PDB file of all heavy atoms in Angstrom:
ATOM      1  N   THR A 933       6.582  -1.293  -0.785  1.00 96.00           N
ATOM      2  CA  THR A 933       8.018  -1.313  -1.037  1.00 96.00           C
ATOM      3  C   THR A 933       8.249  -1.296  -2.572  1.00 96.00           C
ATOM      4  O   THR A 933       7.228  -1.378  -3.364  1.00 96.00           O
ATOM      5  CB  THR A 933       8.714  -2.602  -0.526  1.00 96.00           C
ATOM      6  OG1 THR A 933       8.236  -3.769  -1.145  1.00 96.00           O
ATOM      7  CG2 THR A 933       8.392  -2.734   1.035  1.00 96.00           C
ATOM      8  N   ARG A 934       9.555  -1.214  -2.926  1.00 94.00           N
ATOM      9  CA  ARG A 934       9.667  -1.097  -4.408  1.00 94.00           C
ATOM     10  C   ARG A 934       9.428  -2.469  -5.002  1.00 94.00           C
ATOM     11  O   ARG A 934       9.086  -2.631  -6.220  1.00 94.00           O
ATOM     12  CB  ARG A 934      11.162  -0.773  -4.666  1.00 94.00           C
ATOM     13  CG  ARG A 934      12.266  -1.774  -4.045  1.00 94.00           C
ATOM     14  CD  ARG A 934      13.644  -1.182  -4.242  1.00 94.00           C
ATOM     15  NE  ARG A 934      14.066  -1.039  -5.674  1.00 94.00           N
ATOM     16  CZ  ARG A 934      14.698  -2.047  -6.273  1.00 94.00           C
ATOM     17  NH1 ARG A 934      15.009  -3.113  -5.746  1.00 94.00           N
ATOM     18  NH2 ARG A 934      15.001  -1.843  -7.633  1.00 94.00           N
ATOM     19  N   GLY A 935       9.428  -3.564  -4.275  1.00 92.00           N
ATOM     20  CA  GLY A 935       9.119  -4.890  -4.500  1.00 92.00           C
ATOM     21  C   GLY A 935       7.579  -5.231  -4.425  1.00 92.00           C
ATOM     22  O   GLY A 935       7.189  -6.257  -4.558  1.00 92.00           O
ATOM     23  N   ARG A 936       6.882  -4.114  -4.010  1.00 91.00           N
ATOM     24  CA  ARG A 936       5.408  -4.127  -3.884  1.00 91.00           C
ATOM     25  C   ARG A 936       4.883  -5.064  -2.627  1.00 91.00           C
ATOM     26  O   ARG A 936       3.837  -5.464  -2.697  1.00 91.00           O
ATOM     27  CB  ARG A 936       4.653  -4.694  -5.189  1.00 91.00           C
ATOM     28  CG  ARG A 936       4.964  -3.723  -6.308  1.00 91.00           C
ATOM     29  CD  ARG A 936       4.234  -4.075  -7.624  1.00 91.00           C
ATOM     30  NE  ARG A 936       4.548  -3.309  -8.733  1.00 91.00           N
ATOM     31  CZ  ARG A 936       3.981  -2.055  -9.022  1.00 91.00           C
ATOM     32  NH1 ARG A 936       3.072  -1.749  -8.331  1.00 91.00           N
ATOM     33  NH2 ARG A 936       4.596  -1.391 -10.100  1.00 91.00           N
ATOM     34  N   GLY A 937       5.839  -5.161  -1.671  1.00 96.00           N
ATOM     35  CA  GLY A 937       5.315  -5.664  -0.447  1.00 96.00           C
ATOM     36  C   GLY A 937       4.563  -4.545   0.254  1.00 96.00           C
ATOM     37  O   GLY A 937       4.838  -3.354  -0.004  1.00 96.00           O
ATOM     38  N   ILE A 938       3.513  -4.945   0.915  1.00 98.00           N
ATOM     39  CA  ILE A 938       2.499  -3.961   1.435  1.00 98.00           C
ATOM     40  C   ILE A 938       2.378  -4.148   2.963  1.00 98.00           C
ATOM     41  O   ILE A 938       2.273  -5.257   3.445  1.00 98.00           O
ATOM     42  CB  ILE A 938       1.147  -3.939   0.635  1.00 98.00           C
ATOM     43  CG1 ILE A 938       1.416  -3.416  -0.689  1.00 98.00           C
ATOM     44  CG2 ILE A 938       0.150  -3.165   1.470  1.00 98.00           C
ATOM     45  CD1 ILE A 938       0.120  -3.428  -1.581  1.00 98.00           C
ATOM     46  N   ARG A 939       2.233  -3.015   3.774  1.00 97.00           N
ATOM     47  CA  ARG A 939       1.870  -3.147   5.144  1.00 97.00           C
ATOM     48  C   ARG A 939       1.001  -2.064   5.492  1.00 97.00           C
ATOM     49  O   ARG A 939       1.088  -0.837   4.937  1.00 97.00           O
ATOM     50  CB  ARG A 939       3.261  -2.998   5.902  1.00 97.00           C
ATOM     51  CG  ARG A 939       3.054  -3.078   7.371  1.00 97.00           C
ATOM     52  CD  ARG A 939       4.302  -3.414   8.116  1.00 97.00           C
ATOM     53  NE  ARG A 939       5.468  -2.589   7.675  1.00 97.00           N
ATOM     54  CZ  ARG A 939       5.971  -1.588   8.368  1.00 97.00           C
ATOM     55  NH1 ARG A 939       5.464  -1.269   9.570  1.00 97.00           N
ATOM     56  NH2 ARG A 939       7.096  -0.997   8.015  1.00 97.00           N
ATOM     57  N   TYR A 940      -0.022  -2.305   6.326  1.00 98.00           N
ATOM     58  CA  TYR A 940      -1.044  -1.221   6.933  1.00 98.00           C
ATOM     59  C   TYR A 940      -0.902  -1.263   8.400  1.00 98.00           C
ATOM     60  O   TYR A 940      -0.595  -2.273   8.977  1.00 98.00           O
ATOM     61  CB  TYR A 940      -2.353  -1.680   6.447  1.00 98.00           C
ATOM     62  CG  TYR A 940      -2.584  -1.660   4.969  1.00 98.00           C
ATOM     63  CD1 TYR A 940      -2.649  -3.034   4.249  1.00 98.00           C
ATOM     64  CD2 TYR A 940      -2.804  -0.445   4.231  1.00 98.00           C
ATOM     65  CE1 TYR A 940      -2.876  -2.850   2.925  1.00 98.00           C
ATOM     66  CE2 TYR A 940      -3.040  -0.427   2.858  1.00 98.00           C
ATOM     67  CZ  TYR A 940      -2.960  -1.660   2.100  1.00 98.00           C
ATOM     68  OH  TYR A 940      -3.309  -1.754   0.757  1.00 98.00           O
ATOM     69  N   VAL A 941      -1.315  -0.105   9.011  1.00 97.00           N
ATOM     70  CA  VAL A 941      -1.595   0.013  10.374  1.00 97.00           C
ATOM     71  C   VAL A 941      -2.797  -0.716  10.571  1.00 97.00           C
ATOM     72  O   VAL A 941      -3.823  -0.680   9.757  1.00 97.00           O
ATOM     73  CB  VAL A 941      -1.635   1.443  10.791  1.00 97.00           C
ATOM     74  CG1 VAL A 941      -2.794   2.284  10.182  1.00 97.00           C
ATOM     75  CG2 VAL A 941      -1.544   1.526  12.345  1.00 97.00           C
ATOM     76  N   ASP A 942      -3.065  -1.391  11.867  1.00 97.00           N
ATOM     77  CA  ASP A 942      -4.202  -2.154  11.958  1.00 97.00           C
ATOM     78  C   ASP A 942      -5.474  -1.384  11.846  1.00 97.00           C
ATOM     79  O   ASP A 942      -6.600  -1.886  11.377  1.00 97.00           O
ATOM     80  CB  ASP A 942      -4.241  -2.730  13.450  1.00 97.00           C
ATOM     81  CG  ASP A 942      -3.218  -3.842  13.536  1.00 97.00           C
ATOM     82  OD1 ASP A 942      -2.726  -4.348  12.496  1.00 97.00           O
ATOM     83  OD2 ASP A 942      -2.896  -4.233  14.630  1.00 97.00           O
ATOM     84  N   SER A 943      -5.527  -0.170  12.178  1.00 97.00           N
ATOM     85  CA  SER A 943      -6.691   0.781  12.143  1.00 97.00           C
ATOM     86  C   SER A 943      -7.350   1.002  10.862  1.00 97.00           C
ATOM     87  O   SER A 943      -8.478   1.358  10.660  1.00 97.00           O
ATOM     88  CB  SER A 943      -6.623   2.058  12.855  1.00 97.00           C
ATOM     89  OG  SER A 943      -5.595   2.833  12.258  1.00 97.00           O
ATOM     90  N   VAL A 944      -6.568   0.774   9.780  1.00 98.00           N
ATOM     91  CA  VAL A 944      -7.057   0.961   8.386  1.00 98.00           C
ATOM     92  C   VAL A 944      -7.249  -0.347   7.591  1.00 98.00           C
ATOM     93  O   VAL A 944      -7.616  -0.290   6.408  1.00 98.00           O
ATOM     94  CB  VAL A 944      -6.215   1.992   7.631  1.00 98.00           C
ATOM     95  CG1 VAL A 944      -6.049   3.373   8.429  1.00 98.00           C
ATOM     96  CG2 VAL A 944      -4.910   1.466   7.290  1.00 98.00           C
ATOM     97  N   LYS A 945      -6.739  -1.450   8.059  1.00 98.00           N
ATOM     98  CA  LYS A 945      -6.891  -2.600   7.341  1.00 98.00           C
ATOM     99  C   LYS A 945      -8.242  -2.892   6.873  1.00 98.00           C
ATOM    100  O   LYS A 945      -9.156  -2.820   7.716  1.00 98.00           O
ATOM    101  CB  LYS A 945      -6.288  -3.783   8.170  1.00 98.00           C
ATOM    102  CG  LYS A 945      -4.771  -3.817   8.345  1.00 98.00           C
ATOM    103  CD  LYS A 945      -4.282  -4.977   9.069  1.00 98.00           C
ATOM    104  CE  LYS A 945      -2.799  -4.928   9.252  1.00 98.00           C
ATOM    105  NZ  LYS A 945      -2.400  -6.060  10.215  1.00 98.00           N
ATOM    106  N   GLY A 946      -8.325  -3.256   5.655  1.00 97.00           N
ATOM    107  CA  GLY A 946      -9.748  -3.685   5.057  1.00 97.00           C
ATOM    108  C   GLY A 946     -10.461  -2.284   4.540  1.00 97.00           C
ATOM    109  O   GLY A 946     -11.577  -2.483   3.919  1.00 97.00           O
ATOM    110  N   ARG A 947      -9.941  -1.154   4.826  1.00 98.00           N
ATOM    111  CA  ARG A 947     -10.597   0.070   4.395  1.00 98.00           C
ATOM    112  C   ARG A 947      -9.673   0.938   3.442  1.00 98.00           C
ATOM    113  O   ARG A 947     -10.192   1.484   2.552  1.00 98.00           O
ATOM    114  CB  ARG A 947     -10.929   0.925   5.638  1.00 98.00           C
ATOM    115  CG  ARG A 947     -11.894   0.235   6.627  1.00 98.00           C
ATOM    116  CD  ARG A 947     -12.385   1.243   7.736  1.00 98.00           C
ATOM    117  NE  ARG A 947     -11.209   1.843   8.455  1.00 98.00           N
ATOM    118  CZ  ARG A 947     -10.828   3.109   8.581  1.00 98.00           C
ATOM    119  NH1 ARG A 947     -11.619   4.097   7.844  1.00 98.00           N
ATOM    120  NH2 ARG A 947      -9.820   3.505   9.364  1.00 98.00           N
ATOM    121  N   PHE A 948      -8.394   0.802   3.738  1.00 98.00           N
ATOM    122  CA  PHE A 948      -7.527   1.635   2.860  1.00 98.00           C
ATOM    123  C   PHE A 948      -6.772   0.604   1.897  1.00 98.00           C
ATOM    124  O   PHE A 948      -6.449  -0.536   2.351  1.00 98.00           O
ATOM    125  CB  PHE A 948      -6.578   2.391   3.715  1.00 98.00           C
ATOM    126  CG  PHE A 948      -6.980   3.579   4.478  1.00 98.00           C
ATOM    127  CD1 PHE A 948      -8.466   3.751   4.558  1.00 98.00           C
ATOM    128  CD2 PHE A 948      -6.242   4.374   5.044  1.00 98.00           C
ATOM    129  CE1 PHE A 948      -8.977   4.759   5.223  1.00 98.00           C
ATOM    130  CE2 PHE A 948      -6.684   5.505   5.864  1.00 98.00           C
ATOM    131  CZ  PHE A 948      -8.056   5.679   5.899  1.00 98.00           C
ATOM    132  N   THR A 949      -6.343   1.255   0.823  1.00 98.00           N
ATOM    133  CA  THR A 949      -5.541   0.325  -0.211  1.00 98.00           C
ATOM    134  C   THR A 949      -4.411   1.215  -0.719  1.00 98.00           C
ATOM    135  O   THR A 949      -4.735   2.373  -1.231  1.00 98.00           O
ATOM    136  CB  THR A 949      -6.362  -0.230  -1.342  1.00 98.00           C
ATOM    137  OG1 THR A 949      -7.467  -1.031  -0.814  1.00 98.00           O
ATOM    138  CG2 THR A 949      -5.463  -0.994  -2.310  1.00 98.00           C
ATOM    139  N   ILE A 950      -3.175   0.853  -0.629  1.00 98.00           N
ATOM    140  CA  ILE A 950      -2.104   1.592  -1.128  1.00 98.00           C
ATOM    141  C   ILE A 950      -1.633   0.862  -2.452  1.00 98.00           C
ATOM    142  O   ILE A 950      -1.664  -0.364  -2.653  1.00 98.00           O
ATOM    143  CB  ILE A 950      -0.857   1.714  -0.240  1.00 98.00           C
ATOM    144  CG1 ILE A 950       0.164   2.560  -0.723  1.00 98.00           C
ATOM    145  CG2 ILE A 950      -0.385   0.246   0.087  1.00 98.00           C
ATOM    146  CD1 ILE A 950       1.264   2.928   0.357  1.00 98.00           C
ATOM    147  N   SER A 951      -1.288   1.654  -3.530  1.00 98.00           N
ATOM    148  CA  SER A 951      -0.838   1.177  -4.785  1.00 98.00           C
ATOM    149  C   SER A 951       0.179   2.121  -5.346  1.00 98.00           C
ATOM    150  O   SER A 951       0.324   3.251  -5.063  1.00 98.00           O
ATOM    151  CB  SER A 951      -2.003   0.894  -5.748  1.00 98.00           C
ATOM    152  OG  SER A 951      -2.665   2.044  -5.911  1.00 98.00           O
ATOM    153  N   ARG A 952       0.994   1.669  -6.249  1.00 97.00           N
ATOM    154  CA  ARG A 952       1.874   2.582  -6.953  1.00 97.00           C
ATOM    155  C   ARG A 952       1.866   2.218  -8.427  1.00 97.00           C
ATOM    156  O   ARG A 952       1.553   1.174  -8.982  1.00 97.00           O
ATOM    157  CB  ARG A 952       3.347   2.254  -6.434  1.00 97.00           C
ATOM    158  CG  ARG A 952       3.863   0.990  -6.600  1.00 97.00           C
ATOM    159  CD  ARG A 952       5.239   0.760  -5.827  1.00 97.00           C
ATOM    160  NE  ARG A 952       6.261   1.731  -6.240  1.00 97.00           N
ATOM    161  CZ  ARG A 952       7.319   1.994  -5.629  1.00 97.00           C
ATOM    162  NH1 ARG A 952       7.572   1.486  -4.337  1.00 97.00           N
ATOM    163  NH2 ARG A 952       8.259   2.862  -6.066  1.00 97.00           N
ATOM    164  N   ASP A 953       2.077   3.215  -9.251  1.00 96.00           N
ATOM    165  CA  ASP A 953       2.239   3.180 -10.736  1.00 96.00           C
ATOM    166  C   ASP A 953       3.560   3.712 -11.038  1.00 96.00           C
ATOM    167  O   ASP A 953       3.872   5.041 -11.084  1.00 96.00           O
ATOM    168  CB  ASP A 953       1.249   3.957 -11.404  1.00 96.00           C
ATOM    169  CG  ASP A 953       1.183   3.837 -12.945  1.00 96.00           C
ATOM    170  OD1 ASP A 953       2.167   3.491 -13.362  1.00 96.00           O
ATOM    171  OD2 ASP A 953       0.113   4.121 -13.509  1.00 96.00           O
ATOM    172  N   ASN A 954       4.544   2.882 -11.245  1.00 95.00           N
ATOM    173  CA  ASN A 954       5.970   3.235 -11.545  1.00 95.00           C
ATOM    174  C   ASN A 954       6.090   4.088 -12.895  1.00 95.00           C
ATOM    175  O   ASN A 954       6.866   5.021 -12.953  1.00 95.00           O
ATOM    176  CB  ASN A 954       6.943   2.143 -11.509  1.00 95.00           C
ATOM    177  CG  ASN A 954       7.059   1.502 -10.117  1.00 95.00           C
ATOM    178  OD1 ASN A 954       6.871   2.130  -9.096  1.00 95.00           O
ATOM    179  ND2 ASN A 954       7.625   0.297 -10.019  1.00 95.00           N
ATOM    180  N   ALA A 955       5.226   3.793 -13.782  1.00 95.00           N
ATOM    181  CA  ALA A 955       5.268   4.496 -15.150  1.00 95.00           C
ATOM    182  C   ALA A 955       4.830   5.930 -14.963  1.00 95.00           C
ATOM    183  O   ALA A 955       5.287   6.779 -15.637  1.00 95.00           O
ATOM    184  CB  ALA A 955       4.366   3.837 -16.085  1.00 95.00           C
ATOM    185  N   LYS A 956       4.112   6.207 -13.910  1.00 96.00           N
ATOM    186  CA  LYS A 956       3.542   7.638 -13.625  1.00 96.00           C
ATOM    187  C   LYS A 956       4.351   8.169 -12.508  1.00 96.00           C
ATOM    188  O   LYS A 956       3.985   9.273 -11.998  1.00 96.00           O
ATOM    189  CB  LYS A 956       2.098   7.582 -13.392  1.00 96.00           C
ATOM    190  CG  LYS A 956       1.278   7.246 -14.670  1.00 96.00           C
ATOM    191  CD  LYS A 956      -0.237   7.305 -14.340  1.00 96.00           C
ATOM    192  CE  LYS A 956      -0.977   6.906 -15.552  1.00 96.00           C
ATOM    193  NZ  LYS A 956      -2.492   7.049 -15.358  1.00 96.00           N
TER     194      LYS A 956
END
């Protein structure tokens, strides 16, 4: 989210990481 809350589907938890760089 814009507040950096994060959610994953169960099948990718522990393997995938989402992140954002607002400056870019």
Side-chain angles (χ1 to χ4, degrees):
T933 68
R934 64 184 297 267
R936 300 185 187 269
I938 290 176
R939 177 157 54 100
Y940 298 100
V941 67
D942 286 347
S943 60
V944 308
K945 285 180 180 176
R947 300 189 297 121
F948 291 11
T949 303
I950 189 171
S951 61
R952 64 190 294 162
D953 185 338
N954 288 345
K956 296 182 178 179

